[in-house]
Amino acid sequence: MVYSSDDKIPVGISACLTGQAVRFNGSHKRSRFCTDVLSEYFNLRPMCPEVAIGMGTPREPIRLVSDTPADESVRAVGVDSPDIDVTDDLRSEAVKVSALNQDLCGFIFMQKSPSCGLFGVKRYLKNGHPEGKASGIFASEFARLNPLLPIEEAGRLNDAALRENFMVRVFTYRDWQLFTQTTVTPARLIDFHSRYKYLIMAHSTVHYKETGRLLSDLSGDINQIAEEYFTLLMTALAKPASRKTHTNTLMHLQGYLKNLISAADKEELARIILEYRRGIIPLVVPLTLLKHHLNHHQEANAYARQQVYLNPHPYELGLRNTL
């Protein structure tokens, strides 16, 4: 599928990752995966909170500082000029960006940054000694304001499982945005869940059961129920699927072929799924065989074939080739 500019999904990104020379020393940290691959599907919106609050480029670097080792609160202050404190400015910028970009379906942050790092940013004491880790000021505030939004660090996207999980969440988030552009009705909500049922199963059996219970009674405020459903959906998908949960989902989908394929084909499919479970082959192999059989019996497998689990993101990305 070729994506036009109108089709592309809006995703925020730290400006340095797009090649913009906005780092404290006037350099950048261009991510080729983001600029060369993801840009085919995402409308990337570059943002640099430090430049946005007027720090300029180049500039004195900042770092996260706490008063004591046990103090979990941090401030963003100048490395050489501790009287420069931009903590409140960075938090205010997160509020501003969040309010002005409510159509975003994800955000990719620069790792290790005292403003944009999500995980494991160095934290210091006032005497300059490193003391543990924290989250960047802008990133942590933005994440707090958007708890369901898919957010990830560029460096972590080098991990195949985390990369695939982030993409699953972004495309799901976009699908929900489009879904809610039209009046939500009980029937439409059930149809939406019918497509996502096995994707949820692959990520969390607990949330699979909870979404089923939630939708078993739609007599209340349907908009409130939809909001609760979306929270359960995104919370479930935030948990990366494992070989065990993928195998369970594949076996459930295999059941739709029980009376349609030969004994030899059933044995082959079961063997391929087991080989995936044992780590011998990647996920794409049993999925391809499963989709082959489902497509060969289209009319009898309309429900199974509509499952987002089978194609949660563009096949061309090859995200399941190494899972």
Side-chain angles (χ1 to χ4, degrees), residues 226-237:
E227 290 181 9
E228 293 177 18
Y229 172 81
F230 184 55
T231 297
L232 289 173
L233 172 64
M234 297 308 299
T235 303
L237 299 187

Side-chain angles (χ1 to χ4, degrees), residues 6-315:
D6 292 335
D7 296 324
K8 290 183 179 181
I9 301 173
V11 171
I13 186 171
S14 294
C16 60
L17 293 170
T18 67
Q20 293 187 23
V22 294
R23 285 172 58 79
F24 72 94
N25 58 2
S27 67
H28 62 79
K29 284 286 186 177
R30 181 189 171 196
S31 164
R32 293 190 177 277
F33 176 66
C34 293
T35 60
D36 298 353
V37 178
L38 295 187
S39 62
E40 293 294 315
Y41 307 93
F42 294 168
N43 174 17
L44 297 173
R45 293 185 186 169
M47 306 174 195
C48 178
E50 294 181 26
V51 170
I53 63 174
M55 294 186 71
T57 305
R59 58 186 174 274
E60 179 179 342
I62 58 175
R63 64 184 177 189
L64 301 180
V65 176
S66 296
D67 289 336
T68 67
D71 187 4
E72 295 184 357
S73 64
V74 294
R75 307 288 298 181
V77 302
V79 171
D80 299 317
S81 307
D83 57 314
I84 296 177
D85 188 326
V86 294
T87 308
D88 294 338
D89 290 337
L90 289 172
R91 286 178 178 151
S92 295
E93 182 63 19
V95 173
K96 177 181 175 182
V97 168
S98 179
L100 295 177
N101 295 273
Q102 295 187 10
D103 61 333
L104 289 181
C105 296
F107 207 114
I108 303 172
F109 285 108
M110 176 62 201
Q111 66 273 13
K112 300 180 180 180
S113 164
S115 57
C116 287
L118 276 172
F119 312 103
V121 182
K122 283 186 178 180
R123 177 171 67 99
Y124 295 83
L125 298 179
K126 288 185 175 181
N127 60 12
H129 292 167
E131 181 62 44
K133 307 289 184 180
S135 297
I137 302 299
F138 176 85
S140 61
E141 181 66 8
F142 185 86
R144 185 187 69 81
L145 293 168
N146 302 275
L148 300 181
L149 187 73
I151 296 176
E152 192 52 271
E153 285 186 341
R156 283 164 49 97
L157 293 179
N158 293 321
D159 180 284
L162 293 176
R163 180 170 62 246
E164 198 268 345
N165 179 255
F166 176 69
M167 298 297 283
V168 164
R169 289 185 289 142
V170 169
F171 279 90
T172 298
Y173 201 97
R174 179 56 170 171
D175 199 12
W176 181 262
Q177 277 192 340
L178 297 175
F179 170 74
T180 53
Q181 286 179 3
T182 303
T183 302
V184 177
T185 65
R188 291 188 67 238
L189 184 56
I190 291 296
D191 287 343
F192 184 94
H193 176 62
S194 295
R195 294 190 297 112
Y196 276 89
K197 181 177 178 179
Y198 287 104
L199 183 62
I200 298 172
M201 175 186 286
H203 286 261
S204 172
T205 54
V206 171
H207 289 87
Y208 172 81
K209 294 176 182 177
E210 288 186 6
T211 53
R213 284 195 292 267
L214 175 66
L215 300 184
S216 65
D217 181 6
L218 299 177
S219 59
D221 184 336
I222 191 59
N223 291 312
Q224 180 178 340
I225 293 173
E227 290 181 9
E228 293 177 18
Y229 172 81
F230 184 55
T231 297
L232 289 173
L233 172 64
M234 297 308 299
T235 303
L237 299 187
K239 179 180 179 181
S242 65
R243 283 187 180 268
K244 179 179 179 180
T245 56
H246 273 305
T247 298
N248 179 53
T249 304
L250 290 167
M251 293 176 66
H252 273 81
L253 287 169
Q254 180 188 23
Y256 288 91
L257 298 167
K258 180 171 59 175
N259 300 318
L260 299 173
I261 60 178
S262 68
D265 285 339
K266 281 188 281 188
E267 182 180 350
E268 178 190 34
L269 181 55
R271 174 177 58 81
I272 292 296
I273 293 175
L274 179 59
E275 288 181 356
Y276 163 72
R277 175 69 176 88
R278 294 168 59 192
I280 299 173
I281 56 177
L283 179 60
V284 68
V285 179
L287 270 175
T288 300
L289 185 57
L290 177 64
K291 287 191 283 188
H292 165 75
H293 288 305
L294 290 173
N295 289 333
H296 190 66
H297 301 277
Q298 294 188 15
E299 293 184 4
N301 288 286
Y303 183 81
R305 290 178 64 250
Q306 74 167 346
Q307 292 303 311
V308 173
Y309 173 77
L310 299 173
N311 298 287
H313 36 60
Y315 178 81

